[in-house]
Amino acid sequence: MAFSRGPVFLLLLLYLLQMSDTSLVRLNENGYEDIIIAIDPAVPEDTTIIESIKEMVTKASTYLFEATEKRFFFKNVSILIPESWKDSPQYRRPKQESYKHADIKVAPPTLEGRDEPYTRQFTQCEEKAEYIHFTPDFVLGRKQDEYGDSGKVLVHEWAHLRWGVFDEYNEDQPFYSASSKKIEATRCSTGITGMNRVYACQGGSCATRRCRTNSTTKLYEKDCQFFPDKVQSEKASIMFMQSIDSVTEFCKKENHNREAPTLHNEKCNYRSTWEVISMSEDFTNSIPMETPPAPPFFSLLRISERIVCLVLDVSGSMSTYDRLNRMNQAAKYFLSQIIENKSWVGMVHFSSQATIMHELIQITSDIERNKLLQTLPTKANGGTSICSGIKAAFQVETISLLQMKPRTMDSLMLSGPWLQKTLISPRSHFSTVGKDTFFLITWSKQAPAIYLRDPKGAQMTNFTMDSASKMAYLSIPGTAQVGIWTYNLEAKQNSEILTITVTSRAANSSVPPITVNAKVNTDTNTFPSPMIVYAEVLQGYTPIIGAHVTATIESNSGKTEELVLLDNGAGADAFKDDGVYSRFFTAYSVNGRYSLKVRADGGTNSARRSLRHPSSRAAYVPGWVVDGEIQGNPPRPETTEATQPVLEDFSRTASGGAFVMSNVPGDLSRDLYPPNRITDLQATLDGEEISLMWTAPGDDYDVGRVQQYIIRTSKNITDLRDNFNNSLRVDTTNLTPQDANSKETFAFKPGNITEENALYIYIAIESVDKSSLSSGPSNIAQVALFTPQAEPDPDESPRSSGVSVSTIVLSVLGAVVLVCIIVGTTICILKNKRSSSAAITKF
């Protein structure tokens, strides 16, 4: 990371050894400022990408302005250029801009051949997402047939990123049974026209056929796709398919399709995208403009060497609680292991006054590192004037603030002779496949006995002991042995504080390392609102699923709580198998600061790379209908398990920063937390019964066990959604809830069905805990009792050889079973369940 000279600085809390990755975007007089578009260092140099980015953003700004009814546009944008690219006079040095702050990342595809534009979005409706991912080929316009104009795609993704809306299609449920008694493509609005067809290519030739109806789902078969008409007049919606030329608006309340099982309906309680956008802070703080805005202004920033000044507190307050020593431990670790060669580093000490201890020096070897280490403070006294330290650092370069306080390092207070775990490595073993592996052990009173064994069982004995700094460290040259490393630390005194930190660099620069990133949904919260803890496990940009992920949350009083995070698409987790592991947290004990640490473990027997297409992405267009004929696009690349490399065992830890709680009462005995809302209810028709499946919520969100389930049904989706409590209730006497996060199943026979209303049934579930707190209705599942009307095809004639049975439909009419076999004519058999008699009727 690099910064410009001048009065712009970064306050880096070095004891956490991390930096905020919060977006710097702000809205100023209708215009978005400080947008950062970063080109990944792995992208080969091609200055055409820079010009394509400018063109994309400029077109997007105009499109965004019209789509938001003249409210928003892109005002200024910084493009971060990799250090490996050639320098140019038009490139400036970044200030606070960095790759971690990037709102849009231009990077290689998640998996080779997949150039789908997407937004990394795993938070709740109306909450901002992480970043937008575009590939170089997409930015260069090579994927326009499949995804449409890049400027329009940017607006689609910006709505994900900034306003927390979701896609108005659903690849898991591409079709649904509409109230029109027809099978419809999942979309918004229904004014978008097209064909539903199976389109297959082989050996250079392609063929289309009419979609068949699946006998189980009563919807179209798996390979059926919706092909939009190339020429349309419908204007909505951008969140369905912005690639259609006529689409220039978001769906509004008046044209929103509430019936369709879109992701946006599921996540945002069936509100239109425009309704959600209208609730945003951006919207409430703006009014429509009277004149069109100017084009965006672009700054080209090239990353170069990092420039850092350590500003160390040597005031009297640092002489207590071992603060000075702990600060020096962190500084030594930073100077010896973290700061890269070719970086520039300076040092300032401050108490009531500041002293420049070392001017900027470029790190090229251990010689420069040792010079800086020799200037670390040995005593602390005097007053505290942080401003004087900052002012002195202005004379040196960009600022890094280092002021150690109690409990800032990963530590564990010991009362016995053995250290079983630490916050940075909670277990007594870990795995590594990296190079330049470095072990650091610190203590507060007396050096512990250190036992470290490699995967072959060999004891590592060559630790360097630095008694003055209360540190011991060991470097493993080259690539460390693959496998499980084990350690034990034996404390020599009671009430000892020990830490162990292990770092390792990627063994192969061409293979991205596996990383874990942790965060919470908000930095400040008020009791009793729940927190949501997230941990993202990735290899490069590819999600890792099947890992075991735990979060440790520590209050400022020292009390810790451990959560197992889940990637099951239920409760706090937005999407199943997206590499993001989530849980609710409500175990508050005191007001004040809570810190978060996350650990992820996995390997060949559990964790694997996800092959799923990312959620929150622009819809892939399989082709267009032009003059009644389908013009297909190249098939979307798919990846199979056979092409995936085997994952080695891994163990990763990360700090998720901290959050601050207020209004936590002294008496926490009152039950204030309802069960979490069920979001993954599924229903299928199994003979005469409807079978349900869902993930169990807990007594308190996703912890514990609910008291009961209330299941209701309706023949009208709107009635069930808007008037749940008055809908028909199902008898659940024999349904006993299981523990939270278990898989629940239940089957029942629908009642009160007549021939007139038995087309389909909608089902929803509400959970109730022991204090009668309810979750609210779940997502709505649907079962078709009769096959909805398929798309007519006047050009297709019935087959002449034999009888082609397209579907068999069963319904229960009181004591009579009605079985219809749909062929050229429809034959229905009415059979009395109490006898073997039957009547056959042709229609």
Side-chain angles (χ1 to χ4, degrees):
M1 185 184 310
F3 304 91
S4 67
R5 299 177 185 272
V8 177
F9 60 87
L10 173 70
L11 297 180
L12 172 64
L13 298 177
L14 190 56
Y15 59 84
L16 290 179
L17 298 177
Q18 67 170 14
M19 295 180 59
S20 168
D21 56 359
T22 304
S23 171
L24 303 178
V25 174
R26 60 192 183 98
L27 183 67
N28 182 21
E29 295 182 348
N30 298 86
Y32 288 109
E33 299 181 334
D34 300 329
I35 300 168
I36 298 175
I37 302 178
I39 302 174
D40 193 283
V43 175
E45 183 168 1
D46 182 356
T47 55
T48 309
I49 292 176
I50 299 174
E51 297 307 313
S52 296
I53 291 173
K54 291 181 180 180
E55 181 182 356
M56 173 181 69
V57 175
T58 301
K59 290 189 296 183
S61 183
T62 301
Y63 188 59
L64 177 66
F65 183 70
E66 296 300 329
T68 58
E69 299 180 351
K70 307 185 187 305
R71 279 185 180 270
F72 307 123
F73 67 97
F74 297 132
K75 185 178 290 187
N76 64 59
V77 178
S78 296
I79 302 176
L80 279 182
I81 299 165
E83 182 182 357
S84 58
W85 289 27
K86 293 178 182 177
D87 202 359
S88 170
Q90 60 181 322
Y91 299 163
R92 297 188 294 106
R93 181 180 296 212
K95 297 178 182 178
Q96 74 270 31
E97 302 92 349
S98 72
Y99 195 82
K100 281 192 171 184
H101 292 121
D103 306 288
I104 302 168
K105 298 181 179 182
V106 180
T110 303
L111 294 173
E112 187 175 355
R114 289 189 182 176
D115 289 278
E116 51 208 352
Y118 70 90
T119 300
R120 191 61 167 155
Q121 183 180 21
F122 50 77
T123 48
Q124 306 294 304
C125 182
E126 299 185 35
E127 294 183 3
K128 293 181 176 64
E130 304 303 299
Y131 59 83
I132 297 169
H133 182 282
F134 290 148
T135 67
D137 277 356
F138 172 80
V139 171
L140 292 169
R142 296 168 184 165
K143 301 296 175 180
Q144 185 162 321
D145 288 342
E146 294 94 328
Y147 297 104
D149 179 82
S150 61
K152 297 179 73 172
V153 172
L154 175 53
V155 173
H156 174 102
E157 301 304 332
W158 187 261
H160 285 305
L161 180 74
R162 188 71 184 179
W163 303 313
V165 301
F166 292 84
D167 291 318
E168 294 190 290
Y169 65 89
N170 189 339
E171 289 193 351
D172 292 331
Q173 300 181 66
F175 299 97
Y176 69 100
S177 300
S179 57
S180 62
K181 304 180 182 179
K182 295 181 180 180
I183 302 176
E184 292 280 3
T186 301
R187 65 197 191 281
C188 191
S189 71
T190 55
I192 299 293
T193 59
M195 287 184 178
N196 304 314
R197 292 291 186 273
V198 173
Y199 180 81
C201 297
Q202 188 174 9
S205 62
C206 299
T208 62
R209 65 170 174 82
R210 183 183 177 184
C211 299
R212 301 189 182 102
T213 305
N214 182 287
S215 60
T216 301
T217 65
K218 309 297 190 296
L219 300 173
Y220 288 136
E221 61 191 298
K222 180 182 177 181
D223 293 332
C224 184
Q225 299 180 89
F226 175 73
F227 292 83
D229 291 329
K230 185 66 174 176
V231 178
Q232 311 233 13
S233 58
E234 182 61 39
K235 294 184 178 181
S237 169
I238 290 171
M239 298 313 294
F240 168 60
M241 200 171 281
Q242 77 296 318
S243 51
I244 297 173
D245 291 340
S246 65
V247 169
T248 57
E249 298 176 355
F250 295 97
C251 262
K252 296 181 172 63
K253 186 175 183 178
E254 52 268 24
N255 63 354
H256 179 54
N257 183 5
R258 299 182 73 192
E259 287 187 343
T262 66
L263 290 174
H264 183 79
N265 274 341
E266 292 181 7
K267 303 295 184 183
C268 297
N269 200 25
Y270 302 92
R271 292 175 294 164
S272 70
T273 50
W274 187 248
E275 287 176 275
V276 174
I277 294 170
S278 299
M279 295 293 293
S280 69
E281 183 181 0
D282 291 350
F283 196 93
T284 57
N285 292 333
S286 64
I287 59 174
M289 298 174 61
E290 296 182 357
T291 59
F297 176 79
F298 296 94
S299 300
L300 305 183
L301 310 176
R302 180 175 174 270
I303 298 172
S304 56
E305 302 93 350
R306 194 197 305 206
I307 301 175
V308 176
C309 179
L310 304 185
V311 183
L312 309 185
D313 184 357
V314 295
S315 64
S317 63
M318 299 298 289
S319 63
T320 59
Y321 299 105
D322 202 31
R323 290 171 177 170
L324 183 65
N325 179 62
R326 294 171 67 191
M327 178 180 71
N328 282 343
Q329 289 174 345
K332 284 186 176 182
Y333 179 59
F334 178 78
L335 291 170
S336 61
Q337 288 297 311
I338 301 300
I339 192 68
E340 308 90 346
N341 279 341
K342 297 185 179 180
S343 300
W344 293 81
V345 182
M347 187 179 296
V348 169
H349 294 180
F350 74 91
S351 54
S352 55
Q353 297 180 349
T355 303
I356 297 175
M357 301 302 298
H358 207 297
E359 298 287 350
L360 281 179
I361 182 173
Q362 189 172 33
I363 305 295
T364 59
S365 67
D366 288 342
I367 295 175
E368 293 79 20
R369 298 179 192 271
N370 290 331
K371 286 181 180 179
L372 290 163
L373 290 172
Q374 292 170 7
T375 62
L376 290 175
T378 58
K379 59 182 179 179
N381 54 58
T384 304
S385 174
I386 297 178
C387 289
S388 66
I390 293 174
K391 290 178 181 178
F394 279 145
Q395 305 172 41
V396 180
E397 191 52 52
T398 304
I399 301 177
S400 173
L401 177 66
L402 178 58
Q403 182 180 13
M404 298 304 302
K405 297 294 182 185
R407 308 193 68 83
T408 53
M409 294 189 69
D410 295 306
S411 59
L412 180 69
M413 181 69 71
L414 299 179
S415 57
W418 284 89
L419 176 65
Q420 297 291 331
K421 62 180 182 179
T422 70
L423 290 181
I424 203 161
S425 187
R427 299 178 183 175
S428 59
H429 67 271
F430 57 90
S431 59
T432 178
V433 293
K435 65 179 181 180
D436 299 332
T437 303
F438 183 80
F439 301 86
L440 173 67
I441 295 166
T442 69
W443 59 90
S444 62
K445 294 182 178 180
Q446 184 177 351
I450 303 170
Y451 302 93
L452 175 66
R453 291 179 177 82
D454 68 16
K456 294 182 179 179
Q459 177 77 31
M460 302 285 104
T461 59
N462 51 339
F463 273 84
T464 299
M465 306 297 291
D466 185 349
S467 299
S469 300
K470 301 179 181 178
M471 300 169 60
Y473 51 89
L474 170 67
S475 293
I476 306 295
T479 301
Q481 287 185 32
V482 176
I484 301 298
W485 292 66
T486 59
Y487 71 85
N488 274 312
L489 303 181
E490 183 182 356
K492 297 299 180 63
Q493 295 193 29
N494 291 332
S495 300
E496 177 67 276
I497 299 176
L498 303 178
T499 73
I500 179 169
T501 305
V502 184
T503 57
S504 189
R505 304 184 191 278
N508 186 342
S509 59
S510 64
V511 178
I514 295 173
T515 60
V516 58
N517 304 302
K519 64 173 285 185
V520 289
N521 60 321
T522 180
D523 295 332
T524 58
N525 201 2
T526 302
F527 184 88
S529 297
M531 297 296 299
I532 301 179
V533 179
Y534 300 103
E536 184 182 29
V537 186
L538 301 171
Q539 185 173 37
Y541 289 98
T542 304
I544 301 298
I545 60 177
H548 178 75
V549 183
T550 56
T552 301
I553 300 171
E554 182 180 11
S555 70
N556 57 11
S557 67
K559 183 179 179 181
T560 61
E561 297 283 346
E562 188 168 285
L563 287 175
V564 176
L565 307 185
L566 303 174
D567 186 13
N568 60 355
D573 195 62
F575 297 101
K576 183 178 180 179
D577 290 343
D578 65 346
V580 178
Y581 301 74
S582 319
R583 282 293 288 277
F584 289 106
F585 175 72
T586 59
Y588 310 120
S589 55
V590 294
N591 288 308
R593 181 180 182 271
Y594 290 72
S595 61
L596 169 66
K597 300 289 186 297
V598 166
R599 177 186 173 104
D601 298 283
T604 54
N605 295 326
S606 57
R608 60 197 186 280
R609 300 176 78 190
S610 173
L611 304 181
R612 291 174 61 92
H613 294 276
S615 56
S616 301
R617 66 186 184 276
Y620 168 83
V621 183
W624 301 95
V625 178
V626 179
D627 297 329
E629 298 292 330
I630 291 178
Q631 296 182 357
N633 285 323
R636 184 170 62 177
E638 302 292 344
T639 306
T640 64
E641 292 285 353
T643 65
Q644 290 296 295
V646 175
L647 282 180
E648 301 287 352
D649 289 345
F650 68 88
S651 177
R652 300 290 185 270
T653 60
S655 168
F659 60 91
V660 177
M661 285 299 304
S662 59
N663 293 344
V664 178
D667 181 8
L668 294 168
S669 60
R670 184 184 172 192
D671 186 359
L672 298 172
Y673 300 110
N676 66 260
R677 176 176 174 264
I678 295 169
T679 58
D680 61 348
L681 176 64
Q682 299 178 39
T684 57
L685 185 64
D686 184 12
E688 299 181 16
E689 294 185 328
I690 294 176
S691 296
L692 304 179
M693 184 171 66
W694 68 95
T695 302
D699 181 86
D700 295 340
Y701 289 100
D702 54 11
V703 175
R705 180 184 295 190
V706 301
Q707 187 76 14
Q708 65 169 324
Y709 293 116
I710 297 174
I711 302 177
R712 296 185 184 273
T713 66
S714 175
K715 65 177 182 179
N716 186 293
I717 188 173
T718 304
D719 287 346
L720 183 62
R721 182 176 56 236
D722 299 340
N723 199 13
F724 177 82
N725 289 333
N726 292 325
S727 297
L728 181 65
R729 184 167 179 173
V730 174
D731 183 4
T732 56
T733 304
N734 297 324
L735 175 56
T736 301
Q738 301 185 68
D739 289 338
N741 304 306
S742 302
K743 280 298 178 185
E744 297 272 28
T745 59
F746 180 70
F748 69 97
K749 293 183 179 181
N752 293 339
I753 300 174
T754 65
E755 187 173 358
E756 290 76 21
N757 69 6
L759 289 174
Y760 36 78
I761 291 180
Y762 299 97
I763 310 105
I765 301 181
E766 184 175 54
S767 309
V768 182
D769 70 9
K770 61 181 180 295
S771 300
S772 299
L773 299 176
S774 64
S775 63
S778 69
N779 66 299
I780 296 176
Q782 172 183 311
V783 169
L785 299 181
F786 281 76
T787 302
Q789 181 181 343
E791 182 180 49
D793 188 357
D795 297 329
E796 184 173 333
S797 58
R799 298 187 183 186
S800 56
S801 58
V803 178
S804 176
V805 179
S806 61
T807 187
I808 299 178
V809 183
L810 178 148
S811 184
V812 181
L813 307 179
V816 177
V817 178
L818 173 64
V819 180
C820 294
I821 304 175
I822 302 175
V823 289
T825 61
T826 300
I827 301 176
C828 287
I829 303 174
L830 295 173
K831 182 176 181 180
N832 191 313
K833 293 196 293 181
R834 299 186 181 92
S835 69
S836 60
S837 61
I840 300 177
T841 306
K842 290 186 178 182
F843 297 88

